[in-house]
Amino acid sequence: DAGVIQSPRHEVTEMGQEVTLRCKPISGHDYLFWYRQTMMRGLELLIYFNNNVPIDDSGMPEDRFSAKMPNASFSTLKIQPSEPRDSAVYFCASSLHGGEQFFGPGTRLTVL
Amino acid sequence: DQQVKQNSPSLSVQEGRISILNCDYTNSMFDYFLWYKKYPAEGPTFLISISSIKDKNEDGRFTVFLNKSAKHLSLHIVPSQPGDSAVYFCAASKDFGNEKLTFGTGTRLTIIP
């Protein structure tokens, strides 16, 4: 049984470029979460969806960040334009009916 | 403003001894608390949780204690094993829910054989 799948696993880009991170939740799960992990702030919730609808995006740091969930099996987190301070590990997680969250392996983003 | 704080970035414990990881929170509205464990290059995985109506929850070698008046919780691992070496995140939520979790910065536990 595949868990949460994230791609790419590593992304290196230059400042000003657009970055798109992808997530496939566990089949049947109705909640999807995007987190960012940094040394200073730990794991921060950026946004979460329920049944493909964004419920809370109060953690999205700036307008440069956007997230979409066009269907139950796919979500993207986009940063445009990217900045060096966006460098972090980005995790996607999913859950069933708001229960235990299952995390993907993360995408390590480096913005030069 | 860090509402969930893990003040010890790292901790080293001898194999077989007790590991105690601490977590403090500032928001009195939090009523559900969780611990997650994270290995390198993997996502966090759920370990154990406790509701604010309890002060202790035990699952095998893992016990979580909650002191509401002090806004403090701790995770005890007894006995510690080498496989317990990981980063441990404390998390909290409101309304006994699992959706909007507020995480701490994590504590790296190293078990010395």
Side-chain angles (χ1 to χ4, degrees):
Chain A
D1 181 24
V4 175
I5 299 172
Q6 292 187 246
S7 64
R9 293 296 308 275
H10 301 272
E11 176 82 31
V12 180
T13 190
E14 292 191 345
M15 183 174 65
Q17 296 297 306
E18 177 179 299
V19 174
T20 300
L21 311 181
R22 296 173 175 80
C23 175
K24 178 178 169 54
I26 293 173
S27 177
H29 280 192
D30 55 345
Y31 279 83
L32 184 137
F33 307 82
W34 280 102
Y35 289 89
R36 177 172 68 176
Q37 182 194 0
T38 61
M39 290 293 291
M40 291 299 295
R41 301 180 67 83
L43 271 166
E44 299 175 274
L45 176 64
L46 301 177
I47 184 172
Y48 75 93
F49 296 82
N50 178 219
N51 291 322
N52 313 338
V53 176
I55 302 300
D56 189 328
D57 66 354
S58 59
M60 295 286 261
E62 300 171 30
D63 291 345
R64 298 184 296 107
F65 286 69
S66 63
K68 293 183 180 179
M69 192 164 186
N71 57 63
S73 59
F74 183 66
S75 177
T76 59
L77 178 68
K78 188 174 292 188
I79 309 172
Q80 164 65 9
S82 58
E83 296 183 2
R85 60 191 167 126
D86 302 331
S87 297
V89 181
Y90 291 81
F91 289 100
C92 175
S94 69
S95 73
L96 180 63
H97 304 327
E100 179 184 338
Q101 292 186 27
F102 292 85
F103 283 74
T107 295
R108 181 174 295 278
L109 173 65
T110 303
V111 183
L112 302 174
Chain B
D1 178 28
Q2 199 75 18
Q3 297 187 63
V4 177
K5 300 177 185 178
Q6 294 177 257
N7 293 317
S8 299
S10 63
L11 175 68
S12 293
V13 175
Q14 207 77 33
E15 181 179 358
R17 306 294 290 267
I18 183 171
S19 294
I20 301 176
L21 295 93
N22 294 303
C23 177
D24 297 293
Y25 60 96
T26 58
N27 192 334
S28 57
M29 299 296 290
F30 288 145
D31 53 21
Y32 187 60
F33 305 89
L34 309 89
W35 286 92
Y36 277 76
K37 178 179 180 178
K38 184 186 178 306
Y39 291 120
E42 295 183 11
T45 55
F46 170 74
L47 186 58
I48 192 169
S49 64
I50 188 168
S51 162
S52 61
I53 60 174
K54 292 185 170 184
D55 53 19
K56 176 183 174 182
N57 188 26
E58 193 171 350
D59 183 2
R61 297 185 299 113
F62 302 91
T63 303
V64 56
F65 295 92
L66 175 62
N67 183 333
K68 289 187 290 294
S69 60
K71 293 192 179 68
H72 176 83
L73 63 155
S74 60
L75 174 68
H76 292 212
I77 307 173
V78 181
S80 300
Q81 299 174 353
D84 296 330
S85 294
V87 176
Y88 290 78
F89 289 97
C90 172
S93 70
K94 305 173 189 176
D95 303 323
F96 302 101
N98 252 311
E99 291 122 29
K100 192 164 181 178
L101 300 180
T102 300
F103 282 85
T105 51
T107 296
R108 181 177 301 277
L109 175 65
T110 302
I111 305 302
I112 304 164

